[in-house]
Amino acid sequence: MEMDNFTFGVTMLVAGMGGTLVTLGLLSLMMMALGKLFPYKEEGGKEG
Amino acid sequence: MMEAIIAGLGGLVIGFKMLFVNWQSLIMLGVGGVLLWLGIKKDCEPLLLVPIGFGCILVNIPMSDVMLKDGFIRTIYDAGIDTELFPLLIFIGIGAMTDFGPVLAQPYTFLLGAAGQFGIFLTLMLALFLGFPKLDAVSIGIIGACDGPTAIYVTSKYAPHLLGAVAVAAYSYMSLVPVIQPPIMKALTTEKEKKTVMKFTAKPVSKTTKLLFPLVITIVGGCIAPKGLPLLATIMLGNLMKESGVVARLAGAAENEIANVVTLFLGLCIGATMAGPAFIRAETLIILGLGFLAICLDTVCGVLFGKLLYIITGGKINPLIGSAGISAFPMAARVVAKVGMQYNKKNYLLMHAMGANAGGQIGSVIAAAVMLSVLAGMGVIR
């Protein structure tokens, strides 16, 4: 795909930074879900 | 016979003669000395700067053959840098020594880790504006990841001629985080924001969550950004070994013996890319300047994102923790704790900042992985 430097830079900013934010946001939600699915329990061996 | 003796002795001084012919190498011998001084006397990333400084000196000694074909550093370089093996081995060690518990206890801090990556993309744009070719600009931008192995991985793959400058900038600025960040943090926040107290109720994380974390990151991150899978997979493999608790010997080797040997080789190889004629160019100074800017921009965007969270949460989040969303772990978190204490002696921000900092470590790897996959999607790389 041929493109000038400006188009390339803006694409990287939008897709790259946007992609990073979305990926980390998604992972953040998944970690919250994991925390809820497998909560910490005091007694050893009974968690999750 | 006398002539032969004089010619033979002449061979012993030719190196000194060449030293003054090739002035760039002479300057780089001084630069190597400064890097050693910074590492040994100033304790700036000594594990890296000592071998880098020594490698720099070795390659700039006149007629040195260490980086020529079959030279001893060239052999190491071909085996570990050309193949991208060294940064990945370092990542296994980093994964094995990092506790992601704080970010798992407060998953929202992942987002602070994302905001801290803005510097990568803004610097990339600036490098393009200054006329750098696309892949060179990508390698310069990645200094903003504040993550040495990631910067080396990307640069050795797509702009190996910039490896010396990018690696030195990445590691030097990482060690200068305590100097670079505080003035920006103080300038961008109000007195009230700086004094915001964040209560920390230690929320323990179950072992199952800690075990699933590296697997989820590898599978989900790998599906989204397959070009960066080696980066993600190695750091997560190290973490899985640590958290599983069943391969303590492997985890120990990854974070000690393997990491130490690879750090030595990596440093020597980076130093050996700093040959005078190739290194002393206006381009190198511009890269060092852009690298500095990248880390400043990371801090600015991190703090601004922290301010946004401050507003959204009705003043419950101290914006200072936003600056910890970079990969310099745990240095950036300690800086936040220190600055917070300067304004409110009873404000303990360390654990919150550790969450943001661990998020920044994952964030920098994700940002690099996403960037590579976007580049592949556009057909810029294969």
Side-chain angles (χ1 to χ4, degrees), chain A residues 1 3-6 8-13 15-17 19-21 23-28 30-32 34-35 38-41 47-48, chain B residues 104 107 110-111 114 117-118 121 125 128 132 134 204-209 212-213 216-217 220 224 362-363 366-367 370-371 374-375 378 380:
Chain A
M1 195 185 294
M3 64 178 83
D4 60 84
N5 276 0
F6 180 75
F8 175 73
V10 174
T11 308
M12 287 304 291
L13 182 66
M17 195 59 228
T20 303
L21 271 167
T23 307
L24 285 167
L26 183 68
L27 290 173
S28 160
M30 293 180 89
M31 290 308 126
M32 277 182 204
L34 278 183
F38 305 103
Y40 179 83
K41 284 177 186 164
E47 66 185 29
Chain B
L104 290 173
F110 265 113
L111 293 173
Q117 312 309 322
F118 262 106
F121 299 95
M125 284 191 78
L128 287 170
F132 282 94
K134 292 184 179 77
V205 178
S206 70
K207 181 155 177 136
T208 312
T209 305
L212 287 172
F213 165 72
V216 170
I217 297 272
V220 176
I224 294 174
I362 297 286
I366 295 277
V370 166
M371 190 159 81
V374 171
L375 286 171
M378 288 192 289
V380 177

Short mmCIF file of all heavy atoms in Angstrom, two decimals, chain A residues 1 3-6 8-13 15-17 19-21 23-28 30-32 34-35 38-41 47-48, chain B residues 104 107 110-111 114 117-118 121 125 128 132 134 204-209 212-213 216-217 220 224 362-363 366-367 370-371 374-375 378 380:
data_model
loop_
_atom_site.label_atom_id
_atom_site.label_comp_id
_atom_site.label_asym_id
_atom_site.label_seq_id
_atom_site.Cartn_x
_atom_site.Cartn_y
_atom_site.Cartn_z
N MET A 1 0.86 -1.18 0.00
CA MET A 1 0.00 0.00 0.00
C MET A 1 0.90 1.25 0.00
O MET A 1 1.65 1.45 0.95
CB MET A 1 -0.89 -0.01 1.24
CG MET A 1 -2.05 0.94 1.19
SD MET A 1 -2.95 0.96 2.78
CE MET A 1 -3.63 -0.70 2.82
N MET A 3 1.73 5.09 0.41
CA MET A 3 1.12 6.24 1.10
C MET A 3 2.20 7.24 1.49
O MET A 3 3.37 6.85 1.67
CB MET A 3 0.34 5.78 2.34
CG MET A 3 1.17 5.14 3.42
SD MET A 3 0.15 4.72 4.82
CE MET A 3 -0.51 3.16 4.27
N ASP A 4 1.81 8.50 1.58
CA ASP A 4 2.78 9.52 1.95
C ASP A 4 3.02 9.46 3.46
O ASP A 4 2.27 8.80 4.20
CB ASP A 4 2.30 10.91 1.52
CG ASP A 4 0.99 11.26 2.16
OD1 ASP A 4 1.01 11.74 3.31
OD2 ASP A 4 -0.07 11.02 1.54
N ASN A 5 4.06 10.18 3.89
CA ASN A 5 4.44 10.12 5.31
C ASN A 5 3.33 10.62 6.24
O ASN A 5 3.15 10.07 7.33
CB ASN A 5 5.70 10.97 5.54
CG ASN A 5 6.95 10.16 5.22
OD1 ASN A 5 6.85 8.99 4.84
ND2 ASN A 5 8.11 10.79 5.36
N PHE A 6 2.60 11.64 5.82
CA PHE A 6 1.55 12.18 6.69
C PHE A 6 0.45 11.14 6.92
O PHE A 6 0.04 10.89 8.05
CB PHE A 6 0.97 13.47 6.08
CG PHE A 6 -0.11 14.09 6.93
CD1 PHE A 6 0.21 14.77 8.10
CD2 PHE A 6 -1.45 13.95 6.58
CE1 PHE A 6 -0.79 15.31 8.90
CE2 PHE A 6 -2.45 14.49 7.38
CZ PHE A 6 -2.12 15.17 8.54
N PHE A 8 0.69 7.98 6.58
CA PHE A 8 1.27 6.87 7.35
C PHE A 8 1.27 7.21 8.85
O PHE A 8 0.85 6.40 9.68
CB PHE A 8 2.69 6.60 6.85
CG PHE A 8 3.43 5.56 7.64
CD1 PHE A 8 3.10 4.22 7.54
CD2 PHE A 8 4.46 5.92 8.50
CE1 PHE A 8 3.78 3.26 8.28
CE2 PHE A 8 5.15 4.98 9.25
CZ PHE A 8 4.80 3.63 9.14
N GLY A 9 1.73 8.43 9.16
CA GLY A 9 1.82 8.85 10.56
C GLY A 9 0.45 8.87 11.24
O GLY A 9 0.28 8.36 12.34
N VAL A 10 -0.53 9.45 10.53
CA VAL A 10 -1.87 9.55 11.12
C VAL A 10 -2.47 8.15 11.28
O VAL A 10 -3.10 7.84 12.31
CB VAL A 10 -2.79 10.46 10.26
CG1 VAL A 10 -4.22 10.44 10.78
CG2 VAL A 10 -2.26 11.89 10.27
N THR A 11 -2.24 7.30 10.28
CA THR A 11 -2.77 5.92 10.37
C THR A 11 -2.17 5.21 11.58
O THR A 11 -2.87 4.53 12.33
CB THR A 11 -2.43 5.12 9.09
OG1 THR A 11 -2.85 5.87 7.97
CG2 THR A 11 -3.11 3.77 9.07
N MET A 12 -0.87 5.38 11.76
CA MET A 12 -0.21 4.72 12.90
C MET A 12 -0.75 5.26 14.22
O MET A 12 -0.96 4.50 15.17
CB MET A 12 1.32 4.95 12.85
CG MET A 12 2.03 4.17 11.77
SD MET A 12 1.76 2.40 11.87
CE MET A 12 2.62 1.98 13.35
N LEU A 13 -0.99 6.58 14.26
CA LEU A 13 -1.50 7.17 15.50
C LEU A 13 -2.90 6.64 15.82
O LEU A 13 -3.17 6.21 16.93
CB LEU A 13 -1.51 8.70 15.38
CG LEU A 13 -1.97 9.46 16.63
CD1 LEU A 13 -0.99 9.28 17.78
CD2 LEU A 13 -2.11 10.96 16.34
N ALA A 15 -4.68 3.96 14.30
CA ALA A 15 -4.81 2.49 14.41
C ALA A 15 -3.91 1.95 15.52
O ALA A 15 -4.31 1.05 16.27
CB ALA A 15 -4.46 1.85 13.07
N GLY A 16 -2.70 2.49 15.61
CA GLY A 16 -1.74 1.98 16.60
C GLY A 16 -2.15 2.32 18.02
O GLY A 16 -2.31 1.46 18.87
N MET A 17 -2.37 3.62 18.26
CA MET A 17 -2.73 4.03 19.63
C MET A 17 -4.13 3.56 19.96
O MET A 17 -4.40 3.09 21.08
CB MET A 17 -2.60 5.55 19.74
CG MET A 17 -2.60 6.05 21.17
SD MET A 17 -1.27 5.39 22.17
CE MET A 17 -2.14 4.89 23.64
N GLY A 19 -5.65 0.97 18.70
CA GLY A 19 -5.56 -0.48 18.91
C GLY A 19 -5.00 -0.82 20.29
O GLY A 19 -5.47 -1.73 20.97
N THR A 20 -4.00 -0.04 20.72
CA THR A 20 -3.40 -0.28 22.04
C THR A 20 -4.43 -0.03 23.14
O THR A 20 -4.57 -0.83 24.07
CB THR A 20 -2.17 0.65 22.24
OG1 THR A 20 -1.27 0.42 21.17
CG2 THR A 20 -1.47 0.38 23.55
N LEU A 21 -5.15 1.09 23.02
CA LEU A 21 -6.15 1.43 24.04
C LEU A 21 -7.25 0.38 24.10
O LEU A 21 -7.64 -0.07 25.17
CB LEU A 21 -6.77 2.80 23.72
CG LEU A 21 -6.06 4.01 24.31
CD1 LEU A 21 -6.57 5.30 23.68
CD2 LEU A 21 -6.27 4.07 25.82
N THR A 23 -7.13 -2.76 23.03
CA THR A 23 -6.61 -4.05 23.52
C THR A 23 -6.46 -4.04 25.03
O THR A 23 -6.89 -4.97 25.72
CB THR A 23 -5.23 -4.35 22.87
OG1 THR A 23 -5.36 -4.26 21.46
CG2 THR A 23 -4.74 -5.74 23.24
N LEU A 24 -5.86 -2.96 25.55
CA LEU A 24 -5.66 -2.91 27.01
C LEU A 24 -6.99 -2.75 27.75
O LEU A 24 -7.17 -3.29 28.84
CB LEU A 24 -4.68 -1.80 27.37
CG LEU A 24 -3.23 -2.18 27.06
CD1 LEU A 24 -2.32 -0.97 27.12
CD2 LEU A 24 -2.70 -3.24 28.00
N GLY A 25 -7.93 -2.03 27.14
CA GLY A 25 -9.27 -1.91 27.74
C GLY A 25 -9.94 -3.27 27.82
O GLY A 25 -10.51 -3.65 28.84
N LEU A 26 -9.82 -4.03 26.73
CA LEU A 26 -10.40 -5.37 26.68
C LEU A 26 -9.74 -6.27 27.73
O LEU A 26 -10.44 -6.99 28.47
CB LEU A 26 -10.17 -5.94 25.27
CG LEU A 26 -10.75 -7.31 24.96
CD1 LEU A 26 -12.26 -7.26 24.93
CD2 LEU A 26 -10.25 -7.80 23.59
N LEU A 27 -8.43 -6.20 27.80
CA LEU A 27 -7.71 -7.03 28.79
C LEU A 27 -8.10 -6.63 30.22
O LEU A 27 -8.24 -7.47 31.09
CB LEU A 27 -6.20 -6.92 28.59
CG LEU A 27 -5.67 -7.57 27.32
CD1 LEU A 27 -4.20 -7.27 27.12
CD2 LEU A 27 -5.88 -9.08 27.36
N SER A 28 -8.29 -5.33 30.41
CA SER A 28 -8.70 -4.84 31.72
C SER A 28 -10.05 -5.44 32.12
O SER A 28 -10.24 -5.91 33.24
CB SER A 28 -8.75 -3.31 31.65
OG SER A 28 -9.53 -2.78 32.64
N MET A 30 -11.33 -8.21 30.95
CA MET A 30 -11.16 -9.65 31.15
C MET A 30 -10.54 -9.95 32.51
O MET A 30 -10.90 -10.93 33.17
CB MET A 30 -10.29 -10.24 30.03
CG MET A 30 -10.98 -10.17 28.68
SD MET A 30 -10.00 -10.85 27.37
CE MET A 30 -10.51 -12.53 27.44
N MET A 31 -9.63 -9.08 32.94
CA MET A 31 -9.01 -9.29 34.25
C MET A 31 -10.03 -9.07 35.37
O MET A 31 -10.04 -9.77 36.38
CB MET A 31 -7.82 -8.35 34.45
CG MET A 31 -6.62 -8.69 33.59
SD MET A 31 -6.16 -10.41 33.76
CE MET A 31 -6.17 -10.91 32.06
N MET A 32 -10.94 -8.08 35.15
CA MET A 32 -12.01 -7.85 36.14
C MET A 32 -12.89 -9.09 36.22
O MET A 32 -13.25 -9.55 37.31
CB MET A 32 -12.87 -6.65 35.71
CG MET A 32 -12.29 -5.32 36.11
SD MET A 32 -13.43 -4.03 35.58
CE MET A 32 -12.33 -2.66 35.48
N LEU A 34 -12.08 -12.16 35.46
CA LEU A 34 -11.33 -13.25 36.10
C LEU A 34 -11.35 -13.08 37.62
O LEU A 34 -11.51 -14.05 38.36
CB LEU A 34 -9.87 -13.24 35.63
CG LEU A 34 -9.55 -13.92 34.29
CD1 LEU A 34 -8.06 -13.87 34.01
CD2 LEU A 34 -10.01 -15.37 34.31
N GLY A 35 -11.18 -11.83 38.05
CA GLY A 35 -11.20 -11.54 39.49
C GLY A 35 -12.53 -11.91 40.13
O GLY A 35 -12.60 -12.35 41.26
N PHE A 38 -12.92 -15.95 39.85
CA PHE A 38 -12.03 -16.68 40.76
C PHE A 38 -11.59 -15.77 41.90
O PHE A 38 -10.43 -15.35 41.94
CB PHE A 38 -10.79 -17.21 40.01
CG PHE A 38 -11.14 -18.05 38.81
CD1 PHE A 38 -11.05 -17.52 37.53
CD2 PHE A 38 -11.58 -19.35 38.96
CE1 PHE A 38 -11.37 -18.27 36.42
CE2 PHE A 38 -11.91 -20.11 37.85
CZ PHE A 38 -11.82 -19.58 36.58
N PRO A 39 -12.50 -15.44 42.80
CA PRO A 39 -12.14 -14.52 43.88
C PRO A 39 -11.16 -15.17 44.86
O PRO A 39 -11.12 -16.41 44.97
CB PRO A 39 -13.48 -14.23 44.56
CG PRO A 39 -14.33 -15.38 44.23
CD PRO A 39 -13.88 -15.92 42.92
N TYR A 40 -10.42 -14.32 45.53
CA TYR A 40 -9.46 -14.82 46.52
C TYR A 40 -10.21 -15.33 47.74
O TYR A 40 -11.14 -14.70 48.22
CB TYR A 40 -8.50 -13.69 46.91
CG TYR A 40 -7.48 -14.08 47.94
CD1 TYR A 40 -6.31 -14.72 47.56
CD2 TYR A 40 -7.69 -13.82 49.29
CE1 TYR A 40 -5.37 -15.10 48.50
CE2 TYR A 40 -6.76 -14.19 50.25
CZ TYR A 40 -5.60 -14.83 49.85
OH TYR A 40 -4.67 -15.21 50.77
N LYS A 41 -9.80 -16.47 48.23
CA LYS A 41 -10.40 -16.98 49.47
C LYS A 41 -9.30 -17.27 50.46
O LYS A 41 -8.23 -17.76 50.08
CB LYS A 41 -11.21 -18.24 49.18
CG LYS A 41 -12.54 -17.91 48.51
CD LYS A 41 -13.32 -19.14 48.14
CE LYS A 41 -14.55 -18.74 47.34
NZ LYS A 41 -15.14 -19.87 46.64
N GLU A 47 -9.68 -21.58 46.89
CA GLU A 47 -10.02 -20.43 46.07
C GLU A 47 -10.44 -20.89 44.67
O GLU A 47 -10.12 -21.98 44.22
CB GLU A 47 -8.84 -19.49 45.97
CG GLU A 47 -7.67 -20.10 45.23
CD GLU A 47 -6.47 -19.19 45.26
OE1 GLU A 47 -6.33 -18.43 46.21
OE2 GLU A 47 -5.69 -19.27 44.33
N GLY A 48 -11.12 -19.95 43.96
CA GLY A 48 -11.54 -20.23 42.60
C GLY A 48 -12.68 -21.18 42.60
O GLY A 48 -13.04 -21.81 41.71
N LEU B 104 -3.43 -6.56 38.62
CA LEU B 104 -4.58 -7.47 38.67
C LEU B 104 -5.55 -7.06 39.77
O LEU B 104 -6.76 -7.25 39.64
CB LEU B 104 -4.10 -8.91 38.91
CG LEU B 104 -3.34 -9.54 37.74
CD1 LEU B 104 -2.77 -10.88 38.12
CD2 LEU B 104 -4.26 -9.68 36.54
N PRO B 107 -7.59 -3.56 37.89
CA PRO B 107 -7.44 -3.70 36.42
C PRO B 107 -7.57 -2.38 35.65
O PRO B 107 -7.07 -2.28 34.53
CB PRO B 107 -8.55 -4.67 36.04
CG PRO B 107 -8.84 -5.44 37.28
CD PRO B 107 -8.62 -4.47 38.40
N PHE B 110 -4.61 -0.79 33.82
CA PHE B 110 -4.19 -1.16 32.46
C PHE B 110 -4.32 0.05 31.53
O PHE B 110 -3.51 0.26 30.64
CB PHE B 110 -5.10 -2.27 31.91
CG PHE B 110 -4.55 -3.65 32.10
CD1 PHE B 110 -5.16 -4.54 32.95
CD2 PHE B 110 -3.42 -4.08 31.41
CE1 PHE B 110 -4.68 -5.82 33.13
CE2 PHE B 110 -2.93 -5.36 31.58
CZ PHE B 110 -3.56 -6.23 32.44
N LEU B 111 -5.40 0.83 31.76
CA LEU B 111 -5.65 1.98 30.88
C LEU B 111 -4.60 3.06 31.06
O LEU B 111 -4.23 3.75 30.12
CB LEU B 111 -7.06 2.54 31.13
CG LEU B 111 -8.18 1.59 30.73
CD1 LEU B 111 -9.53 2.14 31.17
CD2 LEU B 111 -8.18 1.36 29.23
N ALA B 114 -1.86 2.21 29.00
CA ALA B 114 -2.07 2.52 27.58
C ALA B 114 -1.75 3.99 27.31
O ALA B 114 -1.06 4.33 26.33
CB ALA B 114 -3.50 2.22 27.19
N GLN B 117 1.68 5.23 26.48
CA GLN B 117 2.32 4.83 25.22
C GLN B 117 2.10 5.86 24.10
O GLN B 117 2.58 5.67 22.98
CB GLN B 117 1.80 3.45 24.75
CG GLN B 117 1.78 2.39 25.83
CD GLN B 117 3.10 2.24 26.56
OE1 GLN B 117 4.17 2.32 25.96
NE2 GLN B 117 3.05 2.02 27.88
N PHE B 118 1.38 6.93 24.41
CA PHE B 118 1.12 7.95 23.39
C PHE B 118 2.41 8.50 22.80
O PHE B 118 2.49 8.83 21.61
CB PHE B 118 0.30 9.10 23.99
CG PHE B 118 -1.17 9.00 23.70
CD1 PHE B 118 -2.06 8.62 24.69
CD2 PHE B 118 -1.66 9.28 22.45
CE1 PHE B 118 -3.42 8.52 24.45
CE2 PHE B 118 -3.02 9.19 22.18
CZ PHE B 118 -3.90 8.80 23.18
N PHE B 121 3.72 7.02 19.49
CA PHE B 121 3.09 7.36 18.22
C PHE B 121 3.28 8.84 17.86
O PHE B 121 3.43 9.19 16.69
CB PHE B 121 1.61 6.96 18.26
CG PHE B 121 1.45 5.48 18.49
CD1 PHE B 121 1.25 4.96 19.76
CD2 PHE B 121 1.55 4.59 17.43
CE1 PHE B 121 1.13 3.59 19.96
CE2 PHE B 121 1.44 3.23 17.62
CZ PHE B 121 1.23 2.72 18.89
N MET B 125 5.37 10.27 14.53
CA MET B 125 4.90 11.30 13.60
C MET B 125 5.94 12.41 13.44
O MET B 125 6.19 12.89 12.33
CB MET B 125 3.59 11.90 14.10
CG MET B 125 2.41 10.99 13.87
SD MET B 125 0.85 11.80 14.17
CE MET B 125 0.65 12.77 12.68
N LEU B 128 8.77 11.29 11.28
CA LEU B 128 8.37 11.31 9.87
C LEU B 128 8.42 12.74 9.34
O LEU B 128 8.90 13.00 8.23
CB LEU B 128 6.94 10.77 9.71
CG LEU B 128 6.75 9.26 9.88
CD1 LEU B 128 5.27 8.95 9.95
CD2 LEU B 128 7.41 8.49 8.74
N PHE B 132 12.61 11.28 8.40
CA PHE B 132 13.11 9.91 8.54
C PHE B 132 12.23 8.96 7.72
O PHE B 132 11.01 9.16 7.65
CB PHE B 132 13.09 9.48 10.01
CG PHE B 132 14.22 10.03 10.83
CD1 PHE B 132 14.08 11.21 11.55
CD2 PHE B 132 15.44 9.37 10.87
CE1 PHE B 132 15.13 11.72 12.29
CE2 PHE B 132 16.50 9.87 11.63
CZ PHE B 132 16.34 11.06 12.34
N LYS B 134 10.03 5.63 6.87
CA LYS B 134 8.95 5.07 7.72
C LYS B 134 9.46 4.13 8.82
O LYS B 134 9.15 4.30 10.00
CB LYS B 134 7.93 4.33 6.85
CG LYS B 134 7.12 5.25 5.94
CD LYS B 134 6.07 4.47 5.18
CE LYS B 134 5.24 5.35 4.28
NZ LYS B 134 5.92 5.75 3.03
N PRO B 204 -6.42 -8.89 47.70
CA PRO B 204 -5.60 -9.99 47.23
C PRO B 204 -6.17 -10.63 45.96
O PRO B 204 -7.38 -10.58 45.72
CB PRO B 204 -5.59 -10.97 48.40
CG PRO B 204 -6.69 -10.58 49.29
CD PRO B 204 -7.09 -9.18 48.97
N VAL B 205 -5.29 -11.20 45.18
CA VAL B 205 -5.70 -11.81 43.91
C VAL B 205 -5.52 -13.32 44.04
O VAL B 205 -4.51 -13.78 44.59
CB VAL B 205 -4.82 -11.26 42.76
CG1 VAL B 205 -5.19 -11.92 41.44
CG2 VAL B 205 -4.94 -9.75 42.67
N SER B 206 -6.49 -14.07 43.56
CA SER B 206 -6.40 -15.53 43.71
C SER B 206 -5.30 -16.09 42.82
O SER B 206 -4.93 -15.51 41.79
CB SER B 206 -7.74 -16.18 43.34
OG SER B 206 -7.95 -16.08 41.95
N LYS B 207 -4.81 -17.25 43.21
CA LYS B 207 -3.73 -17.89 42.45
C LYS B 207 -4.23 -18.27 41.05
O LYS B 207 -3.49 -18.17 40.07
CB LYS B 207 -3.24 -19.13 43.20
CG LYS B 207 -2.10 -19.80 42.47
CD LYS B 207 -1.23 -20.60 43.36
CE LYS B 207 -0.18 -21.29 42.51
NZ LYS B 207 1.12 -21.26 42.96
N THR B 208 -5.51 -18.67 40.97
CA THR B 208 -6.07 -19.04 39.66
C THR B 208 -6.01 -17.85 38.71
O THR B 208 -5.63 -17.99 37.54
CB THR B 208 -7.54 -19.51 39.83
OG1 THR B 208 -7.58 -20.43 40.91
CG2 THR B 208 -8.06 -20.15 38.58
N THR B 209 -6.39 -16.67 39.21
CA THR B 209 -6.35 -15.47 38.38
C THR B 209 -4.91 -15.19 37.93
O THR B 209 -4.67 -14.88 36.77
CB THR B 209 -6.91 -14.25 39.16
OG1 THR B 209 -8.20 -14.58 39.62
CG2 THR B 209 -6.97 -13.01 38.30
N LEU B 212 -4.04 -17.62 35.24
CA LEU B 212 -4.74 -17.42 33.97
C LEU B 212 -4.30 -16.15 33.25
O LEU B 212 -4.36 -16.06 32.03
CB LEU B 212 -6.26 -17.39 34.20
CG LEU B 212 -6.90 -18.74 34.52
CD1 LEU B 212 -8.36 -18.56 34.92
CD2 LEU B 212 -6.80 -19.69 33.33
N PHE B 213 -3.82 -15.18 34.05
CA PHE B 213 -3.42 -13.88 33.48
C PHE B 213 -2.43 -14.02 32.31
O PHE B 213 -2.69 -13.53 31.21
CB PHE B 213 -2.86 -13.00 34.61
CG PHE B 213 -2.10 -11.80 34.16
CD1 PHE B 213 -2.75 -10.71 33.60
CD2 PHE B 213 -0.71 -11.75 34.29
CE1 PHE B 213 -2.04 -9.59 33.19
CE2 PHE B 213 0.00 -10.64 33.88
CZ PHE B 213 -0.67 -9.56 33.32
N VAL B 216 -4.21 -15.64 29.28
CA VAL B 216 -5.20 -14.76 28.62
C VAL B 216 -4.49 -13.69 27.80
O VAL B 216 -4.84 -13.44 26.64
CB VAL B 216 -6.14 -14.12 29.68
CG1 VAL B 216 -6.99 -13.03 29.07
CG2 VAL B 216 -7.02 -15.18 30.31
N ILE B 217 -3.46 -13.07 28.40
CA ILE B 217 -2.73 -12.01 27.68
C ILE B 217 -2.10 -12.58 26.41
O ILE B 217 -2.18 -11.97 25.34
CB ILE B 217 -1.61 -11.42 28.57
CG1 ILE B 217 -2.20 -10.76 29.82
CG2 ILE B 217 -0.75 -10.44 27.78
CD1 ILE B 217 -2.60 -9.33 29.69
N VAL B 220 -5.19 -13.70 23.88
CA VAL B 220 -5.96 -12.56 23.36
C VAL B 220 -5.03 -11.58 22.64
O VAL B 220 -5.29 -11.17 21.50
CB VAL B 220 -6.74 -11.85 24.49
CG1 VAL B 220 -7.46 -10.62 23.98
CG2 VAL B 220 -7.72 -12.81 25.13
N ILE B 224 -4.92 -10.57 18.60
CA ILE B 224 -5.09 -9.19 18.11
C ILE B 224 -3.84 -8.74 17.35
O ILE B 224 -3.93 -8.12 16.30
CB ILE B 224 -5.38 -8.23 19.28
CG1 ILE B 224 -6.74 -8.56 19.90
CG2 ILE B 224 -5.35 -6.76 18.82
CD1 ILE B 224 -7.07 -7.79 21.16
N ILE B 362 3.05 -3.99 30.54
CA ILE B 362 2.25 -4.74 29.57
C ILE B 362 1.90 -3.82 28.39
O ILE B 362 1.96 -4.21 27.23
CB ILE B 362 0.93 -5.24 30.22
CG1 ILE B 362 1.24 -6.20 31.36
CG2 ILE B 362 0.03 -5.90 29.19
CD1 ILE B 362 1.69 -7.55 30.96
N GLY B 363 1.56 -2.55 28.73
CA GLY B 363 1.15 -1.59 27.71
C GLY B 363 2.22 -1.39 26.65
O GLY B 363 1.92 -1.33 25.45
N ILE B 366 2.27 -4.43 24.42
CA ILE B 366 1.06 -4.45 23.58
C ILE B 366 1.17 -3.38 22.48
O ILE B 366 0.86 -3.63 21.32
CB ILE B 366 -0.21 -4.20 24.43
CG1 ILE B 366 -0.43 -5.36 25.42
CG2 ILE B 366 -1.43 -3.96 23.56
CD1 ILE B 366 -1.14 -6.57 24.89
N ALA B 367 1.65 -2.18 22.87
CA ALA B 367 1.77 -1.09 21.89
C ALA B 367 2.71 -1.50 20.75
O ALA B 367 2.40 -1.28 19.57
CB ALA B 367 2.27 0.18 22.56
N VAL B 370 0.94 -4.20 18.68
CA VAL B 370 -0.12 -3.61 17.84
C VAL B 370 0.51 -2.85 16.68
O VAL B 370 0.08 -2.96 15.53
CB VAL B 370 -1.03 -2.69 18.70
CG1 VAL B 370 -1.91 -1.81 17.82
CG2 VAL B 370 -1.89 -3.51 19.65
N MET B 371 1.56 -2.09 16.99
CA MET B 371 2.22 -1.30 15.95
C MET B 371 2.73 -2.21 14.82
O MET B 371 2.54 -1.92 13.64
CB MET B 371 3.37 -0.51 16.58
CG MET B 371 3.97 0.51 15.66
SD MET B 371 4.85 1.75 16.60
CE MET B 371 6.37 0.95 16.90
N VAL B 374 -0.18 -3.50 12.80
CA VAL B 374 -0.74 -2.45 11.93
C VAL B 374 0.17 -2.25 10.72
O VAL B 374 -0.29 -2.14 9.57
CB VAL B 374 -0.92 -1.12 12.72
CG1 VAL B 374 -1.29 0.02 11.78
CG2 VAL B 374 -2.01 -1.28 13.77
N LEU B 375 1.48 -2.26 10.97
CA LEU B 375 2.44 -2.12 9.86
C LEU B 375 2.28 -3.28 8.87
O LEU B 375 2.32 -3.08 7.64
CB LEU B 375 3.87 -2.10 10.39
CG LEU B 375 4.34 -0.83 11.09
CD1 LEU B 375 5.69 -1.04 11.76
CD2 LEU B 375 4.43 0.33 10.10
N MET B 378 -0.79 -2.85 6.82
CA MET B 378 -0.64 -1.86 5.75
C MET B 378 0.34 -2.33 4.66
O MET B 378 0.55 -1.64 3.67
CB MET B 378 -0.13 -0.53 6.34
CG MET B 378 -1.17 0.19 7.16
SD MET B 378 -0.65 1.89 7.54
CE MET B 378 0.65 1.62 8.70
N VAL B 380 3.57 -2.55 5.09
CA VAL B 380 4.88 -1.89 5.22
C VAL B 380 5.94 -2.93 5.60
O VAL B 380 7.09 -2.84 5.19
CB VAL B 380 4.82 -0.74 6.26
CG1 VAL B 380 6.18 -0.09 6.46
CG2 VAL B 380 3.80 0.30 5.82
#
